[in-house]
Amino acid sequence: MARFIFITGGVVSSLGKGLMAASLAALLQARGYKVRIRKFDPYLNVDPGTMSPYQHGEVYVTDDGAETDLDLGHYERFTGVPGRQSDNITSGRIYQTIIQKERRGDYLGATVQVIPHVTDAIKEFARADTDGLDFVLCEIGGTVGDIESLPFMEAIRQLRNDLGRGNSIFVHLTLVPYIAAAGELKTKPTQHSVRDLTSLGIQPDVLVCRCDRPLPEGERAKIALFCNVAKEAVIPALDASTIYGVPLQYHEEGLDEAVLSAFGIEAGDEPDLTRWTEIMDRLENPEGEVTIGVVGKYVGLLDAYKSLHEALVHGGIANRVKVHIRWIDAELFEQEEGGIAAQLEPMHAILVPGGFGERGSEGKIAAVRFARERKVPYFGICLGMQMACIEGARNTADIAAASTTEFGPTDEPVVGMITEWMSEAGLQKRESGGDLGGTMRLGAYDAKLSGNSHAASIYGATDISERHRHRYEVNVHYRAPLERGGLVFSGMSPDGELPEVVERPDHPWFVGVQFHPELKSKPFDPHPLFASFIAAAVQQSRLV
């Protein structure tokens, strides 16, 4: 039976529960254990799919088509274990399931209540699909004291009893702030947070204390005494220069040993952390640097592009160079005369990421044109590929009115919404006026690459599978004029109906993809497209 590690947070949000969970899972993996991480989100949305990136950051998509919290991206990047639909649950999804059962009469007339019906549903989710695992890490979103998270706290309290005390532990992440006027770290917020947690029936076994400077032994002992945990189980968590150094830091502070000890397991030999030391060596000892211009619309909140940011870093790791990312608001190019050249000329490569809506689209198209005409490496992802096709149609295929139906009616729909497509599950249908939630082409889909294409040489294969999240597709009926203009359709869906990859053979590096390759990139296994893109940027830097 799998052992469970329940991870909670206190004092303030954004302390890094997801990163801590991912790092702990990586350390347990390095000791030879099989792990899986799950996220409990207390908000009432069924999933984050309809939430603004400014509200929630990026939506992370799994192979099986789940739209999930961005923390699942950390989980995958640190462990290499692909996320699944069953790895992220929200209050909205729990209540939706319960109400559907109640309407069907599944409860046989019983009064439906938070306890036991909601808590039972949460427990059922937590324990599902755990065969063959050594540890399941469950992160509870929000902070202790939030009204929304109370059913989840009660559920994990019950699970501790259901599973048996030797099969589950609680890890609590809290804040130890430094008060400059007093010149010392203060433990009281941690004490209050643990008191709130114990009032809910949960006694933490391990405390992880976020602080911006070393935690003195006196404060560590004080926290242990007042929070009723062993001193060895009070783990300092200092700021790191890069998130990929966090697993090594946690190991040095004894987190993995404290967790195993809480289970009564001997730590044994040291974990194999070779992959993490190699990653850190490449990050700390680069042999060059490049600057990438990312022209997007959500640049005000970088969590909206979290996986993209990390994938670019991974490309730098693959090439042993430091990647500087310049986040550029696409709307600037629509407002300033001559602003395009001033912003983009210093860039060694240009990337236009995915997104939704018309705002900033003309700026993105202008960025594509700059990259094409100046022979600067260009990478278009999802909407970025669509903008490349519209730019090509307008400026190299003599289709001046080229546009997308996403922005309104157009006489030249180079990009349009599809209502039917084939998947492994069979024919998928959507209505243009249907609910936004779940109406996209989501999850992993196969594609076939032309054997002589740049894309095939990058992948080293002609059959690939990548994750999608979009409602609109490039219209295959415009393939002929676009290819006459030099934009080649080098990757298609297996049935030949949906363009997946476009490229310009006459350009040093110009690739657009309909999918999101950043979702599958990892620091120890950089995605080949990002590794190749950064390599092209390195080459460009030598020409400037």
Side-chain angles (χ1 to χ4, degrees), residues 88-327:
N88 191 200
I89 195 74
T90 68
S91 290
R93 192 162 140 212
I94 291 288
Y95 282 109
Q96 182 187 59
T97 301
I98 289 171
I99 290 170
Q100 287 172 344
K101 287 183 176 180
E102 186 273 333
R103 291 291 84 188
R104 288 197 305 264
D106 291 2
Y107 296 112
L108 304 176
T111 301
V112 181
Q113 298 175 297
V114 173
I115 302 172
H117 301 99
V118 172
T119 51
D120 281 353
I122 294 170
K123 291 193 293 181
E124 183 180 347
F125 157 74
R127 301 183 72 168
D129 302 324
T130 58
D131 292 343
L133 297 174
D134 296 308
F135 292 99
V136 179
L137 291 78
C138 298
E139 177 196 347
I140 314 301
T143 57
V144 173
D146 293 345
I147 292 173
E148 294 88 349
S149 65
L150 289 176
F152 291 95
M153 295 297 185
E154 172 60 18
I156 64 174
R157 183 197 69 78
Q158 293 179 19
L159 268 170
R160 176 69 174 262
N161 293 327
D162 295 346
L163 295 165
R165 293 186 177 269
N167 294 312
S168 63
I169 67 167
F170 296 110
V171 178
H172 189 54
L173 177 66
T174 183
L175 176 68
V176 181
Y178 177 77
I179 305 301
E184 61 183 0
L185 291 163
K186 290 296 184 179
T187 66
K188 195 65 72 176
T190 293
Q191 295 177 45
H192 288 168
S193 181
V194 172
R195 184 181 64 189
D196 289 344
L197 191 61
T198 55
S199 73
L200 300 174
I202 297 172
Q203 168 63 48
D205 300 282
V206 178
L207 280 177
V208 179
C209 301
R210 289 283 282 117
C211 42
D212 64 356
R213 62 202 65 216
L215 186 65
E217 284 300 304
E219 275 70 16
R220 192 172 179 179
K222 186 177 181 180
I223 290 171
L225 175 65
F226 285 100
C227 296
N228 197 29
V229 297
K231 182 181 174 183
E232 296 74 22
V234 178
I235 308 298
L238 276 67
D239 296 341
S241 59
T242 168
I243 62 173
Y244 301 116
V246 173
L248 295 174
Q249 283 189 203
Y250 274 133
H251 174 62
E252 289 174 5
E253 297 293 351
L255 176 60
D256 46 329
E257 289 189 21
V259 165
L260 292 174
S261 176
F263 279 110
I265 300 172
E266 288 289 336
D269 296 335
E270 282 289 294
D272 181 5
L273 298 173
T274 306
R275 65 163 48 164
W276 297 105
T277 55
E278 172 65 19
I279 289 167
M280 288 305 297
D281 178 60
R282 287 174 171 265
L283 286 171
E284 293 175 342
N285 301 288
E287 297 175 354
E289 55 186 47
V290 295
T291 303
I292 310 299
V294 179
V295 182
K297 64 182 289 188
Y298 306 121
V299 295
L301 179 68
L302 298 187
D303 270 357
Y305 298 118
K306 189 61 180 175
S307 291
L308 178 66
H309 176 278
E310 299 309 321
L312 288 168
V313 172
H314 304 164
I317 292 171
N319 291 278
R320 209 177 186 110
V321 296
K322 183 176 180 60
V323 177
H324 301 281
I325 304 173
R326 187 77 54 80
W327 301 95

Side-chain angles (χ1 to χ4, degrees), residues 372 392 395-397 479-488 504 506:
R372 177 178 58 80
N395 299 314
T396 68
R479 179 174 184 171
L482 284 170
E483 291 196 332
R484 285 195 296 271
L487 188 66
V488 174
R504 288 191 175 276
D506 61 348

